[in-house]
Amino acid sequence: MKTTTRVAVIGGGVVGCSVLYHLTKLGWSDVMLLERSELTSGSTWHAAGGFHTLNGDTNMAALQGYTINLYKELEALTGMSCGLHHVGGVTLADNQERFDMLLAERAKHRYMGLETEIVTPDEIKKIAPVTNTDGILGALYDPLDGHLDPSGTTHAYAKAARMGGATIETHCKVEETNQRADGTWDIVTNKGTIHAEHIVNAGGLWAREVGAMAGVYLPLHPMEHQYIVTDDIPDIYNMDSEHPHVMDPAGESYLRQEGRGLCIGFYEQPCRPWAVDGTPWDFGHELLPDDYDKIEDSIAFAYKRFPVLETAGIKSVIHGPFTFAPDGNPLVGPVPGMRNYWSACGVMAGFSQGGGVGLMLAQWMIEGETERDTFAMDVARFGQDVITPGYTLPKVIENYQKRFSVAYPNEELPAARPFRTTPMYDIFSDMGAVWGQQYGLEVANYFAREEGEPSYETPSFRRSDAFGATAREVNAVRSSVGINEVQNFGKYRITGPNARAWLDRIMAGRIPKEGRLSLTPMLSPKGRLIGDFTVSCLGEKEFQLTASYGSQAFHTRWFEKNMDEGVILENISDRRTGFQIAGPKAREVLAACTRSDVSEMKFMDVRRMCVGMADCIVQRVSYTGDLGFEIYCDAMAQRQLWWTLWNAGQEHGMQPFGMRAMMSLRLDKFFGSWLSEFSPDYTAAETGMDRFISFKKNVDFIGRAAAEAERETPPARQLCAFEVDAETADVVAYEPIWIEGKVQGFCTSGGYSHYAGKSIAQALIPRELAQDGLEVEIEILGHMRKAKLITTPLFDADGARMRG
């Protein structure tokens, strides 16, 4: 056995073998895989082997498309069969909400190049004849859907990796992982110790246990999952071609042909977590006992949807555990707070996602970044200091139960909530706050303060029943003054003699002088947006950074990777909190709460001052695009600061406002939003963020060469705003833009401007077409809506109020 290697991949399932193959494909041959038993000895061997492209996240859908197209390449490369069955599949919709979701997904697929289509009940009968279409409105047909041989596919990955120079060591159980001072790892196994530069945890069912060896908690949990294979069915074996897949969300089931019969699996509501306190090391090729009681209701529903099942005998029952993350997506990438430790686990849909996971992780390790935004599967989306096993378990159960549920753009799932709250939680709740959550934190979406306003926002693809309350809050900001909590900003304190120099290198924009703040993008080496920051200079050696609260671990990981001597980084996101006040009366409210002179505070100024009894940092800036101030204090003083501001605001008609109003207000100024307009999928020049890059500063900031290149040769697409002729549904994201009869762009986000009374969308379109007044069509829920490109902000077009 080798005793040194560049990369040690732990786990010999389909994901581990995919990672190993992609590392060799991208040029690293000194890599090895360690498997405690035989390849596939976990969830892989008993998987149903289905694959599909449908995923609510477009980047995940694209990676699933990559995975599916990779299988023929693997077969050609290795001469091995993956047992491919490209039979196509339909996802059924039995109500308008499910049909809306399919219409939205079909629209996304247009610009992604996926050839899906909406089909009628009559067409479903022709495609999938065993389906009873009573009550079905339609379906989404995907020709790429299919299934394969799990074992054959895994071994094809393994052979391809060996052909690229990798080695695979089976019956090699990892017992310890110990990090050396230089960041490399000693991996103690039952066959000896291996020294590796990098570890990849692809442990599957054992990923939690492997992570614990390094002091890492990965939010994963195995769930019992059961599918049934029938005896021969004449209606199946007499068909001229193989029966396609049928996903029936109403019945929480998936069905496909298996030999001369059918295979049907269920995501039942009375589901059961497995191995709550740890996966046994000796578990492998065993199955769990059959449990018909658990799926009794699901089977009864399936008999109605697929009547041929009622008279079919059962050949076998496959009941085994699969591992899930709290949101159902994989956990991939460098583990925050660790050096050279990588995650490739939680890949529940291994044969849909395994190839894409392997490619992204290999790019990350070898090239330093991935070719597309991977935040939906980034292990950093769950903070190591935030998420616990007690949170993970109920969220995994919820995700399993909602596997086939409609995914609404405004839905707030209830499990494991409330978890993390600010000192304002009870005060806001008493004021009618309707809560959402971000990164485990409760965040007020809106306030149901008037009779008839709903205390629960009904999930919908159309304008929700929070529309009226949101309009009221927007009006309060634009006409008088509103107050909103700023807890849901990520906040960082940067100090030390080299703080300014470090910020100049890591941020692309200008680093402000003392008493001022600036807006700046943070770029990857390839020039992609990895941060959208406000930098406040509190002193020559003290700065505050603010950005997305949900990206704390993502951003902290990047800071630590690129840290310099003489710089101290502190994540103070939960230590420093406060409020923003915005609207024409905001200055008067603040002036009434402090003895400091705020009349001379210019736009983008930052001052320390005492507000009420609290020592605060006050910034003259607001994401609402209005006259406004961000006021930060110690978390222990937040309630006192609230009552000071709230009492002073009453004579001016102050109202609280939540995130629904905030996202409407920002549309008035065409402000972008993190992970919508600004994400690692886009560059600064594409999104207009290049206006904040300081090309004059004499610093080789990260991403400068790529940004300079785009300055010389502008990118092909440009972010623009559109006024949309919408009815009851607004743009959410990824709706296609039709120009001259073909798709030439897509929406990044949108919504309703309550101030202007207009539906607004932001979108990326070809730069040469980005002219004021351009007329396009945007596909929203299957309907073509006329839209016009606009360049003048809807509110305060000259910035007089915001800057005045």
Side-chain angles (χ1 to χ4, degrees):
M1 183 181 73
K2 288 176 58 176
T3 57
T4 61
T5 186
R6 190 171 200 171
V7 181
V9 179
I10 302 173
V14 64
V15 174
C17 290
S18 171
V19 170
L20 195 71
Y21 162 65
H22 281 93
L23 286 170
T24 64
K25 184 178 182 180
L26 270 60
W28 282 10
S29 58
D30 181 18
V31 295
M32 69 186 301
L33 183 146
L34 309 176
E35 165 54 45
R36 67 182 181 88
S37 182
E38 298 284 353
L39 297 183
T40 78
S41 298
S43 297
T44 298
W45 79 269
H46 61 73
F51 54 78
H52 55 88
T53 59
L54 186 63
N55 190 294
D57 182 273
T58 53
N59 279 310
M60 290 300 301
L63 290 174
Q64 290 175 194
Y66 165 82
T67 301
I68 294 167
N69 290 320
L70 176 64
Y71 292 133
K72 290 183 179 178
E73 178 184 322
L74 270 181
E75 289 184 329
L77 177 66
T78 64
M80 297 179 67
S81 172
C82 293
L84 292 176
H85 296 256
H86 276 290
V87 296
V90 289
T91 300
L92 307 176
D94 68 329
N95 58 41
Q96 189 60 51
E97 288 75 19
R98 285 198 174 95
F99 196 57
D100 283 348
M101 184 179 77
L102 298 183
L103 290 170
E105 291 304 309
R106 171 65 188 108
K108 293 178 187 178
H109 294 166
R110 291 192 195 279
Y111 82 86
M112 295 171 63
L114 296 174
E115 299 300 324
T116 58
E117 60 181 295
I118 298 294
V119 293
T120 66
D122 286 342
E123 290 171 316
I124 295 168
K125 290 178 182 178
K126 295 176 183 178
I127 296 167
V130 303
T131 307
N132 175 9
T133 59
D134 289 349
I136 296 297
L137 302 184
L140 181 73
Y141 174 70
D142 186 347
L144 284 181
D145 274 15
H147 57 277
L148 45 64
D149 170 24
S151 179
T153 301
T154 304
H155 284 277
Y157 274 125
K159 182 176 180 180
R162 288 189 180 103
M163 291 169 66
T167 59
I168 295 175
E169 196 73 32
T170 58
H171 299 283
C172 184
K173 181 187 174 188
V174 173
E175 298 173 342
E176 296 178 29
T177 58
N178 303 310
Q179 192 164 39
R180 295 185 181 183
D182 64 358
T184 62
W185 292 86
D186 287 326
I187 304 168
V188 180
T189 77
N190 60 330
K191 291 185 174 182
T193 299
I194 301 161
H195 180 222
E197 182 180 347
H198 300 272
I199 284 178
V200 176
N201 182 347
L205 290 173
W206 296 269
R208 294 175 298 173
E209 287 71 31
V210 171
M213 294 178 187
V216 172
Y217 172 66
L218 294 168
L220 300 166
H221 209 288
M223 296 291 294
E224 298 180 3
H225 183 67
Q226 197 163 204
Y227 65 90
I228 293 170
V229 178
T230 73
D231 288 329
D232 294 358
I233 299 175
D235 285 357
I236 294 299
Y237 64 71
N238 287 327
M239 289 180 61
D240 293 333
S241 60
E242 188 171 355
H243 196 279
H245 288 209
V246 183
M247 274 63 68
D248 181 22
E252 301 158 342
S253 70
Y254 58 89
L255 174 141
R256 67 168 175 83
Q257 185 169 338
E258 174 68 22
R260 289 160 59 90
L262 290 170
C263 165
I264 184 167
F266 305 100
Y267 283 86
E268 69 284 353
Q269 292 302 300
C271 59
R272 292 201 187 100
W274 182 77
V276 173
D277 296 316
T279 302
W281 284 108
D282 59 355
F283 186 84
H285 283 278
E286 302 88 347
L287 287 173
L288 306 177
D290 299 348
D291 190 348
Y292 291 105
D293 290 342
K294 186 175 61 168
I295 58 174
E296 181 180 4
D297 291 342
S298 299
I299 291 174
F301 195 99
Y303 285 167
K304 296 175 183 177
R305 182 71 73 216
F306 310 107
V308 295
L309 292 173
E310 196 162 10
T311 56
I314 295 177
K315 180 185 292 185
S316 59
V317 177
I318 310 298
H319 191 198
F322 288 88
T323 304
F324 294 75
D327 60 3
N329 277 342
L331 298 174
V332 180
V335 173
M338 304 293 290
R339 292 173 64 191
N340 301 339
Y341 194 97
W342 305 79
S343 175
C345 49
V347 190
M348 179 275 301
F351 294 98
S352 292
Q353 300 172 342
V357 166
L359 175 66
M360 291 299 99
L361 191 64
Q363 288 179 350
W364 221 329
M365 297 179 73
I366 296 171
E367 301 171 12
E369 59 183 286
T370 56
E371 68 185 53
R372 62 175 64 247
D373 178 14
T374 54
F375 192 77
M377 65 177 183
D378 192 335
V379 65
R381 71 188 185 277
F382 298 110
Q384 291 286 307
D385 58 341
V386 172
I387 304 304
T388 66
Y391 172 92
T392 299
L393 180 56
K395 293 302 289 186
V396 165
I397 292 171
E398 177 184 64
N399 178 265
Y400 184 98
Q401 292 173 327
K402 295 184 73 66
R403 173 72 177 156
F404 280 140
S405 296
V406 178
Y408 296 97
N410 68 325
E411 187 171 21
E412 298 285 355
L413 300 177
R417 293 179 56 200
F419 176 27
R420 309 181 78 241
T421 62
T422 75
M424 291 303 298
Y425 185 76
D426 60 333
I427 294 175
F428 278 175
S429 292
D430 289 343
M431 296 178 74
V434 179
W435 296 98
Q437 72 85 33
Q438 182 186 27
Y439 205 64
L441 174 73
E442 295 296 309
V443 178
N445 281 338
Y446 67 93
F447 292 81
R449 303 193 72 206
E450 297 186 0
E451 186 175 350
E453 290 179 347
S455 58
Y456 168 77
E457 183 181 10
T458 304
S460 176
F461 287 94
R462 291 170 167 76
R463 292 172 190 162
S464 79
D465 49 9
F467 193 80
T470 302
R472 175 177 48 76
E473 293 174 15
V474 167
N475 180 63
V477 172
R478 291 289 185 242
S479 64
S480 54
V481 61
I483 185 167
N484 172 270
E485 197 172 19
V486 294
Q487 173 67 22
N488 59 323
F489 289 163
K491 297 170 284 288
Y492 311 88
R493 183 170 182 258
I494 312 297
T495 56
N498 293 332
R500 176 176 291 277
W502 179 73
L503 287 170
D504 249 333
R505 183 176 69 82
I506 203 165
M507 299 293 177
R510 178 181 55 83
I511 305 305
K513 296 179 180 179
E514 185 171 350
R516 296 286 288 167
L517 60 88
S518 65
L519 307 179
T520 173
M522 186 166 69
L523 305 179
S524 76
K526 294 182 180 179
R528 297 187 174 273
L529 292 168
I530 57 172
D532 168 26
F533 281 84
T534 299
V535 180
S536 307
C537 183
L538 306 176
E540 190 50 36
K541 298 178 182 179
E542 181 183 3
F543 298 83
Q544 175 178 280
L545 309 183
T546 55
S548 164
Y549 187 85
S551 296
Q552 287 175 63
F554 173 82
H555 285 144
T556 300
R557 182 178 64 195
W558 182 254
F559 293 152
E560 292 175 345
K561 179 182 178 181
N562 293 281
M563 187 51 63
D564 289 340
E565 293 291 331
V567 180
I568 300 171
L569 165 70
E570 299 172 80
N571 183 346
I572 57 171
S573 297
D574 296 323
R575 289 158 45 195
R576 188 172 290 173
T577 185
F579 305 94
Q580 69 163 314
I581 55 174
K585 301 296 184 180
R587 183 184 285 113
E588 295 173 51
V589 172
L590 180 58
C593 300
T594 180
R595 297 184 64 83
S596 299
D597 183 3
V598 300
S599 64
E600 297 302 315
M601 277 193 77
K602 300 187 296 294
F603 183 61
M604 308 288 269
D605 273 355
V606 56
R607 299 280 187 274
R608 294 186 187 273
M609 63 180 71
C610 187
V611 182
M613 292 188 288
D615 285 327
C616 297
I617 295 167
V618 179
Q619 303 190 156
R620 175 72 197 285
V621 68
S622 173
Y623 189 53
T624 65
D626 215 313
L627 168 65
F629 300 85
E630 292 175 355
I631 308 167
Y632 297 91
C633 67
D634 184 275
M636 294 293 287
Q638 188 185 19
R639 289 169 72 100
Q640 194 283 323
L641 177 61
W642 160 261
W643 289 117
T644 296
L645 295 169
W646 180 250
N647 291 334
Q650 292 314 290
E651 68 175 281
H652 302 290
M654 176 181 277
Q655 294 286 333
F657 67 100
M659 289 306 297
R660 295 285 185 261
M662 178 81 84
M663 298 309 284
S664 174
L665 290 159
R666 61 106 184 177
L667 290 174
D668 297 341
K669 300 283 281 187
F670 310 153
F671 288 168
S673 175
W674 181 244
L675 294 183
S676 292
E677 284 68 44
F678 310 139
S679 86
D681 274 336
Y682 314 130
T683 67
E686 287 177 320
T687 58
M689 285 292 283
D690 55 338
R691 70 187 184 276
F692 297 117
I693 294 179
S694 178
F695 290 105
K696 293 182 179 179
K697 67 181 183 180
N698 187 27
V699 178
D700 186 21
F701 57 82
I702 297 171
R704 178 160 195 153
E708 293 275 14
E710 284 202 320
R711 195 182 186 197
E712 293 296 320
T713 307
R717 57 190 183 182
Q718 178 177 324
L719 184 68
C720 302
F722 289 87
E723 181 181 326
V724 187
D725 184 15
E727 291 186 358
T728 60
D730 302 300
V731 159
V732 175
Y734 301 111
E735 293 85 350
I737 303 284
W738 293 78
I739 306 174
E740 298 178 348
K742 60 181 179 179
V743 176
Q744 298 196 58
F746 63 93
C747 298
T748 52
S749 74
Y752 190 78
S753 165
H754 288 276
Y755 168 77
K758 296 177 179 180
S759 183
I760 302 298
Q762 297 196 72
L764 285 163
I765 64 169
R767 183 171 293 270
E768 67 272 13
L769 301 177
Q771 301 295 325
D772 195 13
L774 172 71
E775 294 185 350
V776 305
E777 289 183 305
I778 301 178
E779 184 177 351
I780 303 176
L781 300 183
H783 297 283
M784 293 298 202
R785 301 298 183 192
K786 292 181 179 180
K788 182 175 67 175
L789 193 154
I790 54 177
T791 55
T792 302
L794 306 174
F795 167 77
D796 193 31
D798 61 0
R801 192 148 108 185
M802 182 176 70
R803 299 172 183 275

